[in-house]
C-alpha cells in the first residue's frame, strides 16, 4: 500500500508549478506507482484564467474548496465550480478554467502523468512516450 501526505509532497519534486504560476499541482500518485491513473491535488490561484486542452488525457476534477468556473470553448458553455462540483473531460474538451478565489481541486488523469509535466503551448500534456524526445 502507498501512503503519502500533502505535507511531504510540498517542496518535493512531486510539487509542480505552472510556468505562468496560475496553479500548483501536488502529485500524490504518478505513473510509476503502477495504478493506471495519476491523482493530484491542484490549487488554481484566484484571479487566474488558464487555457487547457488535454487532447492526450482524460481528467476528472472535483472541487473541495474555493470558487470559479469552467468554460467549454467549442460551445461557450460556462459551468460554475464550487465545493462539491465535479467535471470530467470525457471528450478531451478544450476549456478555460477561471478561479475567482483560490480553488482546491482533486484531479485524476488517465493515462497517468509521469511527474513533471506542465502545460504545453496548446494547453496539453505530452504522452509518456513523447517526454524527453
Ligand atoms: C484542473 C486542471 O487541469 N488544472 C491544471 C493542473 C492539473 N490539474 C495538474 O497537473 O494537476
Amino acid at each position: 500500500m502507498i501512503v503519502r501526505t500533502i505535507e511531504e509532497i510540498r517542496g518535493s519534486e512531486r510539487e509542480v508549478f505552472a510556468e505562468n504560476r496560475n496553479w500548483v499541482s501536488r502529485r500524490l500518485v504518478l505513473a510509476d506507482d503502477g495504478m493506471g491513473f495519476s491523482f493530484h491535488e491542484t490549487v488554481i490561484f484566484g484571479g487566474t484564467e488558464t487555457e487547457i486542452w488535454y487532447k492526450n488525457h482524460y481528467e476528472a476534477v472535483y472541487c473541495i474548496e474555493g470558487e470559479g468556473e469552467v468554460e467549454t470553448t467549442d460551445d461557450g458553455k460556462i459551468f460554475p465550480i464550487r465545493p462539491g462540483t465535479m467535471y470530467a473531460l470525457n471528450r478531451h474538451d478544450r476549456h478555460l478554467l477561471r478561479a475567482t478565489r483560490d480553488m482546491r481541486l482533486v484531479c485524476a488523469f488517465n493515462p497517468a502523468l509521469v511527474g513533471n509535466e506542465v502545460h504545453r503551448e496548446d494547453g496539453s500534456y505530452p504522452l509518456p512516450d513523447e517526454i524527453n524526445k
Side-chain angles (χ1 to χ4, degrees), residues 3-104:
V3 178
R4 297 191 179 108
T5 66
I6 286 296
E7 285 66 36
E8 70 194 49
I9 286 172
R10 268 180 224 277
S12 78
E13 60 187 14
R14 285 172 171 269
E15 181 178 65
V16 176
F17 283 84
E19 284 171 347
N20 60 13
R21 307 303 269 193
N22 280 7
W23 49 260
V24 58
S25 173
R26 300 186 177 107
R27 297 179 171 166
L28 291 148
V29 173
L30 285 168
D32 65 358
D33 292 314
M35 302 283 288
F37 60 89
S38 60
F39 188 68
H40 318 168
E41 183 190 80
T42 302
V43 177
I44 311 289
F45 297 118
T48 63
E49 177 182 84
T50 306
E51 205 174 340
I52 300 174
W53 180 32
Y54 293 134
K55 60 183 177 184
N56 296 319
H57 295 82
Y58 294 104
E59 186 194 25
V61 179
Y62 181 67
C63 177
I64 55 172
E65 198 177 288
E67 193 177 82
E69 63 182 27
V70 59
E71 175 176 348
T72 43
T73 41
D74 286 347
D75 59 12
K77 286 189 182 161
I78 295 179
F79 304 90
I81 303 173
R82 312 227 183 303
T85 306
M86 185 282 306
Y87 65 88
L89 301 164
N90 60 323
R91 294 187 173 156
H92 304 288
D93 318 61
R94 285 176 190 254
H95 59 288
L96 291 166
L97 184 59
R98 304 187 184 100
T100 42
R101 288 190 292 123
D102 283 8
M103 278 195 298
R104 189 178 304 276

